[in-house]
Amino acid sequence: AAGVAIGDAVDASTAISVDQLLASADSYAGKEVTVKGTIREVCQEKGCWHTLASSNADQTVMVKDKEYQIFLPKDSAGKMAVVRGNFSVVVMPLEEARHYAKDAGKDPATITEAPKTFQMDAAGVTLL
């Protein structure tokens, strides 16, 4: 539902776009950032992770939280969200990438190499 806050409070007025984040990914790595973007995918098992779309169809930001307490409605894809959390650039292990593909309802066999990924450990999410 619009305006729903999950986790800690998020100040949308300080948010940057996903494209701005990815354009300077190395300078944001390891820092807390607030990002606004369109949700591309949501875990269809529990809603425990989601991705934020960029203008590049091949690049998204994977959002989850290490406390495993932020769960989005499974039908949140296509909605706008503001996320606050720590950003990182990592090479995801192949088996983990296949696990996420399966959670998203895709064929895990289509993942053939460990992808470089952009991730956020979310402290809070607000659906707009």
Side-chain angles (χ1 to χ4, degrees), residues 18-29:
V18 174
D19 287 343
Q20 287 173 298
L21 176 67
L22 297 183
S24 301
D26 290 337
S27 67
Y28 286 112

Side-chain angles (χ1 to χ4, degrees), residues 1-4 6 18 35-44 47-54 59-63 70-83 104 124-128:
V4 171
I6 304 163
V18 174
V35 180
K36 180 179 180 181
T38 302
I39 298 169
R40 180 177 287 168
E41 295 177 292
V42 178
C43 173
Q44 292 301 295
C48 57
W49 60 262
H50 65 280
T51 60
L52 295 176
S54 73
Q59 289 186 323
T60 60
V61 176
M62 166 72 78
V63 181
I70 295 177
F71 298 90
L72 296 189
K74 295 177 190 176
D75 64 353
S76 296
K79 295 180 176 156
M80 291 295 291
V82 180
V83 178
V125 177
T126 300
L127 298 177
L128 302 177

Side-chain angles (χ1 to χ4, degrees), residues 62 64 90-94 96-97 100 113-117 119:
M62 166 72 78
K64 51 189 175 176
V90 297
V91 175
M92 183 182 291
L94 185 58
E96 186 176 346
Y100 287 122
E113 60 185 52
K116 177 181 176 182
T117 61
Q119 299 183 2

